[in-house]
Amino acid sequence: MSDFDNPFADPNASSPFADPSVQQAAGSGGGYNRQGALDDYNPFADGNQTRPANQGGVPAPRPAQSQPAVMHPSEDPPPYTQTGAQKVDTSELQKRQELWNAGDTSIEEELERKAAELQKKEQELKNAQKYSGSRENNWPPFPAFCPVGPCFFQDFNVDIPLEFQRIVKIAYYLWGFHVIVLILNVMGSLAYFITDSNGGATFGLSILWLLLFTPCSFLCWYRPLYKAFRSDSSFNFFVFFFIFFFQFCVYVVQCLGITDFTVGWINGLKTVGDDGGVGGFMLIIAFLFTLEAVFSMMLLVKVHRIYRSTGASFQKAQAEFASGVMKNETVRTAAADAAAGAARGAVSGGYGSESRY
């Protein structure tokens, strides 16, 4: 480069491009090689080098290609066994599939039969809810040859809500237990009468209690409780509380045996000295009467708690009684006849008084 081309150059200084090393580097393509070395440089390879391995014109060698790490387990996994796997019994499914492929129609018939049964049960429930007043009676379950048919309809699953079915069934079982104890009371009273001639009155009363208390207890306190839970009737709840309390008092008197009313603890203890077998049987009956009294008190308390939790009241019972009386066809007919007779009497009396004038 001449001095004319570079006006600022010192005329006494030599050109830097005249240096032989610079000219050698420029002539041998050192710039291109150096740029290639910079392009191949990877600062994260080979121990995180901070600069290229070659600062000169010779390109740095490429590092060897690394292989992915492979972990080798120290122990071999346990062999697969059927005991460690979940066992699924598919024999029934395979059997059904084989029958289906063979053209067997038994499976299809079974499915149709089950569908028909479900449809029948659903229709029965709908009919029971729609025609609740015209359902066929099924209790007592008299045999077909008996001249007396069932008098009531009773089905806990249809009539009673699910949360109250247990308490109603307990009341039903308590009534059945009461009937069994009354039968045992007749047998114990007979044994007492055979042992002691003074037990004739006890034996006669035991037969009366069996014939009287068996139907009356069912009608007077069990059926009101059943209808109370069936229709949430406060009036039937009050009927149950009133009658069942007296039933509890009768249980207490029967288990004590204070008089010749029934065999009980007192009569049984007196008879043990004369005849141990008869006295022991009488004491067993007295114990059963005691259990009845305890269970009756527990049932009475339980039903009262449920009754209080439903928000029922005496005013609601009065309203139900009044509406029930007015819905009764016999009462309505009698009331209409009485009103018509009173109206005719008033009219005839008025005409008679006018005729006198």
Side-chain angles (χ1 to χ4, degrees):
M1 183 181 291
S2 64
D3 294 339
F4 177 78
D5 294 336
N6 187 3
F8 301 99
D10 188 2
N12 297 325
S14 60
S15 176
F17 297 99
D19 190 0
S21 62
V22 174
Q23 292 179 1
Q24 183 181 2
S28 60
Y32 173 77
N33 295 332
R34 184 170 299 166
Q35 183 67 29
L38 291 176
D39 293 338
D40 294 335
Y41 169 65
N42 185 4
F44 300 101
D46 296 337
N48 295 330
Q49 295 179 356
T50 58
R51 61 184 64 186
N54 185 15
Q55 297 294 337
V58 181
R62 295 177 180 270
Q65 186 177 359
S66 60
Q67 298 293 332
V70 179
M71 297 181 64
H72 297 282
S74 59
E75 297 180 359
D76 294 335
Y80 176 81
T81 56
Q82 189 175 0
T83 57
Q86 182 180 4
K87 296 181 180 180
V88 179
D89 187 8
T90 59
S91 58
E92 185 66 22
L93 295 177
Q94 293 177 357
K95 182 179 179 181
R96 289 176 178 269
Q97 184 66 26
E98 291 175 359
L99 293 176
W100 185 270
N101 295 334
D104 192 356
T105 60
S106 59
I107 299 177
E108 185 177 357
E109 293 177 356
E110 183 180 357
L111 294 176
E112 291 179 356
R113 180 176 56 81
K114 291 183 178 180
E117 291 179 358
L118 292 176
Q119 186 177 3
K120 181 180 179 181
K121 290 182 180 180
E122 183 178 359
Q123 188 65 30
E124 289 178 355
L125 290 177
K126 289 182 179 179
N127 295 335
Q129 295 175 358
K130 186 176 181 180
Y131 305 104
S132 58
S134 60
R135 293 177 295 186
E136 185 178 357
N137 296 330
N138 59 358
W139 201 95
F142 291 126
F145 61 86
C146 186
V148 181
C151 304
F152 307 98
F153 177 82
Q154 177 173 286
D155 194 337
F156 300 107
N157 298 325
V158 174
D159 288 341
I160 309 300
L162 183 61
E163 61 270 20
F164 302 133
Q165 290 181 7
R166 182 173 179 271
I167 189 67
V168 178
K169 289 180 180 180
I170 290 175
Y172 179 70
Y173 297 149
L174 180 62
W175 173 81
F177 180 69
H178 176 57
V179 175
I180 294 174
V181 175
L182 288 178
I183 296 175
L184 294 177
N185 181 49
V186 173
M187 300 171 62
S189 300
L190 178 61
Y192 177 56
F193 177 56
I194 294 174
T195 304
D196 189 355
S197 58
N198 296 326
T202 304
F203 175 64
L205 289 175
S206 65
I207 299 176
L208 178 63
W209 305 146
L210 176 63
L211 298 178
L212 181 63
F213 285 164
T214 299
C216 288
S217 59
F218 185 85
L219 295 174
C220 296
W221 62 263
Y222 170 71
R223 285 299 295 182
L225 180 65
Y226 185 90
K227 292 187 290 184
F229 282 107
R230 182 185 63 186
S231 57
D232 192 17
S233 174
S234 297
F235 175 73
N236 285 295
F237 272 117
F238 270 93
V239 172
F240 167 76
F241 291 141
F242 181 77
I243 298 179
F244 195 69
F245 177 75
F246 286 99
Q247 180 72 70
F248 168 74
C249 297
V250 171
Y251 287 155
V252 173
V253 174
Q254 287 177 333
C255 73
L256 293 179
I258 301 175
T259 60
D260 292 335
F261 188 72
T262 61
V263 297
W265 292 107
I266 298 177
N267 290 335
L269 292 175
K270 290 191 302 182
T271 311
V272 168
D274 299 334
D275 193 328
V278 175
F281 185 55
M282 294 173 65
L283 291 178
I284 293 175
I285 297 173
F287 176 73
L288 295 178
F289 276 125
T290 305
L291 289 180
E292 278 189 325
V294 174
F295 291 154
S296 299
M297 177 55 65
M298 295 172 61
L299 179 64
L300 188 63
V301 173
K302 181 65 175 179
V303 174
H304 185 264
R305 289 179 180 175
I306 296 176
Y307 171 76
R308 297 294 296 176
S309 64
T310 57
S313 60
F314 184 70
Q315 290 76 14
K316 185 179 179 181
Q318 287 179 328
E320 289 181 3
F321 177 74
S323 62
V325 169
M326 294 307 299
K327 289 180 181 179
N328 193 323
E329 188 65 26
T330 304
V331 175
R332 292 173 61 183
T333 303
D337 295 341
R344 287 194 297 268
V347 171
S348 61
Y351 287 149
S353 61
E354 290 179 359
S355 63
R356 286 195 299 271
Y357 290 104

Short mmCIF file of all heavy atoms in Angstrom, two decimals, residues 98-147:
data_model
loop_
_atom_site.label_atom_id
_atom_site.label_comp_id
_atom_site.label_asym_id
_atom_site.label_seq_id
_atom_site.Cartn_x
_atom_site.Cartn_y
_atom_site.Cartn_z
N GLU A 98 -68.34 -70.61 24.33
CA GLU A 98 -68.44 -71.82 23.52
C GLU A 98 -69.89 -72.19 23.23
O GLU A 98 -70.25 -72.57 22.12
CB GLU A 98 -67.73 -72.97 24.23
CG GLU A 98 -66.21 -72.81 24.31
CD GLU A 98 -65.56 -73.90 25.12
OE1 GLU A 98 -66.32 -74.76 25.64
OE2 GLU A 98 -64.32 -73.90 25.25
N LEU A 99 -70.73 -72.05 24.28
CA LEU A 99 -72.14 -72.34 24.06
C LEU A 99 -72.77 -71.36 23.07
O LEU A 99 -73.61 -71.73 22.25
CB LEU A 99 -72.89 -72.31 25.40
CG LEU A 99 -72.53 -73.41 26.39
CD1 LEU A 99 -73.27 -73.19 27.71
CD2 LEU A 99 -72.86 -74.78 25.84
N TRP A 100 -72.35 -70.12 23.20
CA TRP A 100 -72.89 -69.11 22.29
C TRP A 100 -72.45 -69.37 20.85
O TRP A 100 -73.23 -69.23 19.91
CB TRP A 100 -72.43 -67.73 22.75
CG TRP A 100 -73.03 -66.60 21.96
CD1 TRP A 100 -72.55 -66.03 20.84
CD2 TRP A 100 -74.27 -65.92 22.25
NE1 TRP A 100 -73.38 -65.04 20.40
CE2 TRP A 100 -74.45 -64.94 21.25
CE3 TRP A 100 -75.22 -66.05 23.25
CZ2 TRP A 100 -75.55 -64.10 21.22
CZ3 TRP A 100 -76.31 -65.21 23.23
CH2 TRP A 100 -76.47 -64.25 22.24
N ASN A 101 -71.18 -69.74 20.69
CA ASN A 101 -70.69 -70.02 19.34
C ASN A 101 -71.32 -71.29 18.77
O ASN A 101 -71.49 -71.41 17.56
CB ASN A 101 -69.17 -70.18 19.36
CG ASN A 101 -68.47 -68.89 19.75
OD1 ASN A 101 -69.01 -67.80 19.53
ND2 ASN A 101 -67.27 -69.00 20.32
N ALA A 102 -71.68 -72.22 19.65
CA ALA A 102 -72.28 -73.46 19.18
C ALA A 102 -73.76 -73.30 18.85
O ALA A 102 -74.40 -74.26 18.41
CB ALA A 102 -72.10 -74.57 20.22
N GLY A 103 -74.31 -72.13 19.11
CA GLY A 103 -75.71 -71.91 18.79
C GLY A 103 -76.66 -72.29 19.89
O GLY A 103 -77.86 -72.47 19.66
N ASP A 104 -76.17 -72.45 21.12
CA ASP A 104 -77.03 -72.80 22.25
C ASP A 104 -77.82 -71.57 22.66
O ASP A 104 -77.25 -70.49 22.90
CB ASP A 104 -76.19 -73.30 23.41
CG ASP A 104 -77.05 -73.93 24.49
OD1 ASP A 104 -78.29 -73.90 24.33
OD2 ASP A 104 -76.49 -74.45 25.48
N THR A 105 -79.13 -71.70 22.78
CA THR A 105 -80.01 -70.57 23.13
C THR A 105 -80.34 -70.52 24.61
O THR A 105 -81.21 -69.74 25.01
CB THR A 105 -81.32 -70.68 22.33
OG1 THR A 105 -81.97 -71.91 22.66
CG2 THR A 105 -81.04 -70.62 20.84
N SER A 106 -79.67 -71.32 25.44
CA SER A 106 -79.99 -71.32 26.87
C SER A 106 -79.61 -70.00 27.53
O SER A 106 -80.30 -69.51 28.42
CB SER A 106 -79.27 -72.48 27.57
OG SER A 106 -77.86 -72.35 27.40
N ILE A 107 -78.50 -69.40 27.10
CA ILE A 107 -78.07 -68.13 27.69
C ILE A 107 -79.07 -67.04 27.35
O ILE A 107 -79.47 -66.23 28.21
CB ILE A 107 -76.66 -67.77 27.18
CG1 ILE A 107 -75.67 -68.85 27.59
CG2 ILE A 107 -76.24 -66.41 27.71
CD1 ILE A 107 -74.27 -68.61 27.08
N GLU A 108 -79.50 -67.01 26.11
CA GLU A 108 -80.48 -65.99 25.71
C GLU A 108 -81.80 -66.17 26.44
O GLU A 108 -82.42 -65.19 26.87
CB GLU A 108 -80.69 -66.08 24.20
CG GLU A 108 -81.59 -64.98 23.65
CD GLU A 108 -81.71 -65.07 22.14
OE1 GLU A 108 -81.04 -65.94 21.55
OE2 GLU A 108 -82.45 -64.26 21.57
N GLU A 109 -82.21 -67.41 26.65
CA GLU A 109 -83.44 -67.66 27.40
C GLU A 109 -83.30 -67.23 28.85
O GLU A 109 -84.24 -66.70 29.45
CB GLU A 109 -83.79 -69.15 27.30
CG GLU A 109 -84.18 -69.60 25.90
CD GLU A 109 -84.44 -71.09 25.85
OE1 GLU A 109 -84.23 -71.75 26.90
OE2 GLU A 109 -84.84 -71.58 24.78
N GLU A 110 -82.12 -67.48 29.44
CA GLU A 110 -81.90 -67.07 30.83
C GLU A 110 -81.95 -65.56 30.98
O GLU A 110 -82.55 -65.03 31.92
CB GLU A 110 -80.54 -67.60 31.29
CG GLU A 110 -80.23 -67.29 32.75
CD GLU A 110 -78.89 -67.82 33.17
OE1 GLU A 110 -78.22 -68.48 32.34
OE2 GLU A 110 -78.49 -67.57 34.33
N LEU A 111 -81.33 -64.85 30.04
CA LEU A 111 -81.39 -63.39 30.09
C LEU A 111 -82.81 -62.87 29.93
O LEU A 111 -83.23 -61.94 30.62
CB LEU A 111 -80.48 -62.80 29.00
CG LEU A 111 -78.97 -63.05 29.16
CD1 LEU A 111 -78.22 -62.50 27.96
CD2 LEU A 111 -78.45 -62.41 30.46
N GLU A 112 -83.56 -63.47 29.03
CA GLU A 112 -84.95 -63.05 28.85
C GLU A 112 -85.79 -63.34 30.09
O GLU A 112 -86.65 -62.54 30.47
CB GLU A 112 -85.54 -63.78 27.64
CG GLU A 112 -84.93 -63.33 26.31
CD GLU A 112 -85.53 -64.09 25.13
OE1 GLU A 112 -86.34 -65.02 25.39
OE2 GLU A 112 -85.18 -63.78 23.98
N ARG A 113 -85.52 -64.47 30.73
CA ARG A 113 -86.27 -64.79 31.95
C ARG A 113 -85.98 -63.80 33.07
O ARG A 113 -86.88 -63.34 33.77
CB ARG A 113 -85.92 -66.21 32.40
CG ARG A 113 -86.65 -66.68 33.65
CD ARG A 113 -86.29 -68.12 33.95
NE ARG A 113 -84.85 -68.30 34.09
CZ ARG A 113 -84.18 -68.02 35.21
NH1 ARG A 113 -84.83 -67.56 36.28
NH2 ARG A 113 -82.88 -68.22 35.29
N LYS A 114 -84.68 -63.45 33.24
CA LYS A 114 -84.34 -62.47 34.27
C LYS A 114 -84.92 -61.11 33.97
O LYS A 114 -85.40 -60.40 34.88
CB LYS A 114 -82.82 -62.38 34.40
CG LYS A 114 -82.18 -63.63 35.00
CD LYS A 114 -80.68 -63.44 35.18
CE LYS A 114 -80.06 -64.67 35.83
NZ LYS A 114 -78.59 -64.52 36.02
N ALA A 115 -84.93 -60.72 32.70
CA ALA A 115 -85.54 -59.44 32.34
C ALA A 115 -87.03 -59.43 32.62
O ALA A 115 -87.60 -58.43 33.08
CB ALA A 115 -85.27 -59.14 30.87
N ALA A 116 -87.69 -60.56 32.37
CA ALA A 116 -89.12 -60.64 32.66
C ALA A 116 -89.39 -60.57 34.15
O ALA A 116 -90.37 -59.94 34.59
CB ALA A 116 -89.68 -61.95 32.07
N GLU A 117 -88.55 -61.21 34.95
CA GLU A 117 -88.73 -61.15 36.41
C GLU A 117 -88.55 -59.73 36.93
O GLU A 117 -89.33 -59.26 37.78
CB GLU A 117 -87.74 -62.09 37.09
CG GLU A 117 -88.03 -63.56 36.86
CD GLU A 117 -87.00 -64.45 37.54
OE1 GLU A 117 -86.05 -63.89 38.14
OE2 GLU A 117 -87.14 -65.69 37.47
N LEU A 118 -87.53 -59.04 36.44
CA LEU A 118 -87.34 -57.65 36.87
C LEU A 118 -88.50 -56.76 36.46
O LEU A 118 -88.96 -55.91 37.23
CB LEU A 118 -86.03 -57.11 36.27
CG LEU A 118 -84.74 -57.72 36.81
CD1 LEU A 118 -83.53 -57.17 36.06
CD2 LEU A 118 -84.59 -57.45 38.30
N GLN A 119 -89.01 -56.96 35.26
CA GLN A 119 -90.15 -56.18 34.81
C GLN A 119 -91.39 -56.48 35.64
O GLN A 119 -92.18 -55.58 35.96
CB GLN A 119 -90.41 -56.46 33.33
CG GLN A 119 -91.50 -55.57 32.72
CD GLN A 119 -91.66 -55.84 31.23
OE1 GLN A 119 -90.99 -56.72 30.68
NE2 GLN A 119 -92.54 -55.08 30.59
N LYS A 120 -91.56 -57.74 36.02
CA LYS A 120 -92.72 -58.12 36.84
C LYS A 120 -92.64 -57.48 38.21
O LYS A 120 -93.64 -56.96 38.73
CB LYS A 120 -92.78 -59.65 36.95
CG LYS A 120 -93.96 -60.14 37.76
CD LYS A 120 -93.97 -61.68 37.82
CE LYS A 120 -95.14 -62.17 38.66
NZ LYS A 120 -95.14 -63.66 38.76
N LYS A 121 -91.44 -57.51 38.83
CA LYS A 121 -91.28 -56.90 40.15
C LYS A 121 -91.51 -55.39 40.09
O LYS A 121 -92.15 -54.80 40.99
CB LYS A 121 -89.90 -57.20 40.70
CG LYS A 121 -89.70 -58.66 41.08
CD LYS A 121 -88.30 -58.89 41.66
CE LYS A 121 -88.11 -60.35 42.06
NZ LYS A 121 -86.74 -60.59 42.62
N GLU A 122 -91.00 -54.77 39.05
CA GLU A 122 -91.21 -53.33 38.91
C GLU A 122 -92.69 -52.99 38.74
O GLU A 122 -93.19 -52.02 39.31
CB GLU A 122 -90.41 -52.82 37.70
CG GLU A 122 -90.49 -51.32 37.50
CD GLU A 122 -89.65 -50.86 36.33
OE1 GLU A 122 -89.01 -51.72 35.70
OE2 GLU A 122 -89.65 -49.65 36.04
N GLN A 123 -93.41 -53.82 37.97
CA GLN A 123 -94.83 -53.59 37.80
C GLN A 123 -95.60 -53.81 39.09
O GLN A 123 -96.56 -53.07 39.40
CB GLN A 123 -95.37 -54.52 36.70
CG GLN A 123 -96.80 -54.23 36.29
CD GLN A 123 -96.95 -52.86 35.65
OE1 GLN A 123 -96.00 -52.38 35.02
NE2 GLN A 123 -98.10 -52.25 35.81
N GLU A 124 -95.18 -54.79 39.89
CA GLU A 124 -95.83 -55.02 41.18
C GLU A 124 -95.65 -53.85 42.12
O GLU A 124 -96.57 -53.44 42.83
CB GLU A 124 -95.29 -56.31 41.81
CG GLU A 124 -95.74 -57.58 41.11
CD GLU A 124 -95.13 -58.81 41.75
OE1 GLU A 124 -94.29 -58.64 42.68
OE2 GLU A 124 -95.48 -59.93 41.34
N LEU A 125 -94.43 -53.28 42.13
CA LEU A 125 -94.19 -52.11 42.98
C LEU A 125 -95.02 -50.92 42.53
O LEU A 125 -95.57 -50.19 43.35
CB LEU A 125 -92.70 -51.76 42.97
CG LEU A 125 -91.76 -52.73 43.68
CD1 LEU A 125 -90.32 -52.29 43.51
CD2 LEU A 125 -92.11 -52.82 45.17
N LYS A 126 -95.13 -50.74 41.21
CA LYS A 126 -95.94 -49.63 40.71
C LYS A 126 -97.41 -49.83 41.07
O LYS A 126 -98.10 -48.88 41.47
CB LYS A 126 -95.77 -49.52 39.19
CG LYS A 126 -94.42 -49.01 38.76
CD LYS A 126 -94.34 -48.88 37.24
CE LYS A 126 -92.98 -48.35 36.80
NZ LYS A 126 -92.88 -48.23 35.32
N ASN A 127 -97.90 -51.05 40.92
CA ASN A 127 -99.29 -51.32 41.27
C ASN A 127 -99.54 -51.15 42.76
O ASN A 127 -100.59 -50.68 43.18
CB ASN A 127 -99.67 -52.74 40.83
CG ASN A 127 -99.64 -52.91 39.33
OD1 ASN A 127 -99.79 -51.93 38.58
ND2 ASN A 127 -99.44 -54.14 38.86
N ALA A 128 -98.54 -51.56 43.57
CA ALA A 128 -98.70 -51.41 45.02
C ALA A 128 -98.76 -49.95 45.42
O ALA A 128 -99.50 -49.57 46.33
CB ALA A 128 -97.55 -52.11 45.74
N GLN A 129 -97.98 -49.11 44.76
CA GLN A 129 -98.01 -47.68 45.07
C GLN A 129 -99.26 -47.00 44.51
O GLN A 129 -99.79 -46.08 45.10
CB GLN A 129 -96.76 -47.00 44.51
CG GLN A 129 -95.48 -47.47 45.17
CD GLN A 129 -94.25 -46.87 44.53
OE1 GLN A 129 -94.36 -46.12 43.56
NE2 GLN A 129 -93.08 -47.19 45.06
N LYS A 130 -99.74 -47.48 43.36
CA LYS A 130 -100.88 -46.83 42.74
C LYS A 130 -102.20 -47.29 43.34
O LYS A 130 -103.14 -46.50 43.53
CB LYS A 130 -100.86 -47.13 41.24
CG LYS A 130 -101.93 -46.39 40.46
CD LYS A 130 -101.75 -46.66 38.97
CE LYS A 130 -102.81 -45.92 38.16
NZ LYS A 130 -102.67 -46.16 36.71
N TYR A 131 -102.27 -48.57 43.66
CA TYR A 131 -103.52 -49.13 44.20
C TYR A 131 -103.27 -49.65 45.61
O TYR A 131 -103.45 -50.84 45.90
CB TYR A 131 -104.03 -50.26 43.31
CG TYR A 131 -104.20 -49.87 41.87
CD1 TYR A 131 -103.27 -50.28 40.92
CD2 TYR A 131 -105.26 -49.07 41.45
CE1 TYR A 131 -103.41 -49.92 39.59
CE2 TYR A 131 -105.40 -48.70 40.12
CZ TYR A 131 -104.47 -49.14 39.20
OH TYR A 131 -104.60 -48.77 37.89
N SER A 132 -102.82 -48.76 46.48
CA SER A 132 -102.48 -49.17 47.85
C SER A 132 -103.71 -49.60 48.63
O SER A 132 -103.62 -50.36 49.58
CB SER A 132 -101.77 -48.02 48.58
OG SER A 132 -102.60 -46.88 48.60
N GLY A 133 -104.89 -49.09 48.27
CA GLY A 133 -106.09 -49.45 49.02
C GLY A 133 -106.72 -50.75 48.58
O GLY A 133 -107.60 -51.27 49.26
N SER A 134 -106.36 -51.28 47.43
CA SER A 134 -106.97 -52.50 46.91
C SER A 134 -105.98 -53.66 46.82
O SER A 134 -106.12 -54.53 45.98
CB SER A 134 -107.56 -52.22 45.52
OG SER A 134 -106.55 -51.80 44.63
N ARG A 135 -104.95 -53.65 47.66
CA ARG A 135 -103.99 -54.74 47.62
C ARG A 135 -104.56 -55.98 48.30
O ARG A 135 -105.32 -55.87 49.26
CB ARG A 135 -102.69 -54.30 48.30
CG ARG A 135 -101.94 -53.22 47.54
CD ARG A 135 -100.71 -52.78 48.28
NE ARG A 135 -101.02 -52.13 49.55
CZ ARG A 135 -100.13 -51.55 50.33
NH1 ARG A 135 -98.85 -51.57 49.99
NH2 ARG A 135 -100.49 -50.98 51.45
N GLU A 136 -104.13 -57.12 47.83
CA GLU A 136 -104.64 -58.38 48.36
C GLU A 136 -104.01 -58.66 49.71
O GLU A 136 -102.79 -58.53 49.89
CB GLU A 136 -104.33 -59.50 47.38
CG GLU A 136 -104.93 -60.83 47.78
CD GLU A 136 -104.64 -61.91 46.75
OE1 GLU A 136 -104.03 -61.58 45.71
OE2 GLU A 136 -105.02 -63.07 47.00
N ASN A 137 -104.83 -59.04 50.67
CA ASN A 137 -104.33 -59.32 52.02
C ASN A 137 -103.48 -60.59 52.01
O ASN A 137 -103.76 -61.55 51.29
CB ASN A 137 -105.51 -59.49 52.97
CG ASN A 137 -106.32 -58.21 53.12
OD1 ASN A 137 -105.78 -57.11 53.00
ND2 ASN A 137 -107.62 -58.34 53.39
N ASN A 138 -102.46 -60.57 52.84
CA ASN A 138 -101.54 -61.71 52.90
C ASN A 138 -101.19 -62.12 54.33
O ASN A 138 -100.30 -62.95 54.53
CB ASN A 138 -100.25 -61.40 52.13
CG ASN A 138 -99.54 -60.16 52.68
OD1 ASN A 138 -100.01 -59.51 53.61
ND2 ASN A 138 -98.39 -59.85 52.10
N TRP A 139 -101.85 -61.52 55.33
CA TRP A 139 -101.56 -61.88 56.72
C TRP A 139 -102.87 -61.98 57.50
O TRP A 139 -103.75 -61.13 57.34
CB TRP A 139 -100.67 -60.82 57.38
CG TRP A 139 -99.93 -61.34 58.57
CD1 TRP A 139 -98.68 -61.83 58.63
CD2 TRP A 139 -100.44 -61.44 59.91
NE1 TRP A 139 -98.35 -62.23 59.88
CE2 TRP A 139 -99.43 -62.01 60.70
CE3 TRP A 139 -101.66 -61.13 60.50
CZ2 TRP A 139 -99.60 -62.25 62.06
CZ3 TRP A 139 -101.84 -61.38 61.84
CH2 TRP A 139 -100.80 -61.93 62.62
N PRO A 140 -103.04 -62.99 58.34
CA PRO A 140 -102.15 -64.12 58.65
C PRO A 140 -102.04 -65.07 57.45
O PRO A 140 -102.98 -65.21 56.69
CB PRO A 140 -102.82 -64.81 59.83
CG PRO A 140 -103.82 -63.82 60.37
CD PRO A 140 -104.23 -62.98 59.22
N PRO A 141 -100.89 -65.71 57.33
CA PRO A 141 -100.69 -66.61 56.17
C PRO A 141 -101.38 -67.95 56.36
O PRO A 141 -100.75 -68.99 56.55
CB PRO A 141 -99.16 -66.75 56.13
CG PRO A 141 -98.72 -66.57 57.54
CD PRO A 141 -99.68 -65.57 58.15
N PHE A 142 -102.71 -67.93 56.31
CA PHE A 142 -103.47 -69.17 56.46
C PHE A 142 -103.30 -70.03 55.20
O PHE A 142 -103.15 -69.51 54.10
CB PHE A 142 -104.95 -68.88 56.67
CG PHE A 142 -105.26 -68.24 58.00
CD1 PHE A 142 -105.95 -67.05 58.07
CD2 PHE A 142 -104.86 -68.83 59.18
CE1 PHE A 142 -106.23 -66.46 59.28
CE2 PHE A 142 -105.14 -68.25 60.41
CZ PHE A 142 -105.83 -67.06 60.45
N PRO A 143 -103.33 -71.36 55.35
CA PRO A 143 -103.26 -72.23 54.17
C PRO A 143 -104.51 -72.08 53.31
O PRO A 143 -105.53 -71.52 53.73
CB PRO A 143 -103.13 -73.63 54.77
CG PRO A 143 -103.66 -73.51 56.16
CD PRO A 143 -103.36 -72.12 56.62
N ALA A 144 -104.43 -72.59 52.09
CA ALA A 144 -105.52 -72.42 51.14
C ALA A 144 -106.79 -73.15 51.58
O ALA A 144 -107.90 -72.68 51.30
CB ALA A 144 -105.09 -72.90 49.76
N PHE A 145 -106.66 -74.29 52.27
CA PHE A 145 -107.85 -75.06 52.67
C PHE A 145 -108.55 -74.47 53.88
O PHE A 145 -109.65 -74.88 54.24
CB PHE A 145 -107.47 -76.51 52.96
CG PHE A 145 -106.47 -76.67 54.07
CD1 PHE A 145 -106.88 -76.73 55.40
CD2 PHE A 145 -105.11 -76.76 53.80
CE1 PHE A 145 -105.96 -76.89 56.43
CE2 PHE A 145 -104.20 -76.90 54.81
CZ PHE A 145 -104.61 -76.97 56.13
N CYS A 146 -107.94 -73.48 54.53
CA CYS A 146 -108.55 -72.89 55.72
C CYS A 146 -109.74 -72.02 55.32
O CYS A 146 -109.63 -71.22 54.38
CB CYS A 146 -107.52 -72.06 56.48
SG CYS A 146 -108.12 -71.43 58.07
N PRO A 147 -110.88 -72.14 55.99
CA PRO A 147 -112.05 -71.33 55.61
C PRO A 147 -111.87 -69.84 55.89
O PRO A 147 -112.57 -69.02 55.32
CB PRO A 147 -113.19 -71.93 56.45
CG PRO A 147 -112.50 -72.57 57.61
CD PRO A 147 -111.20 -73.07 57.10
#
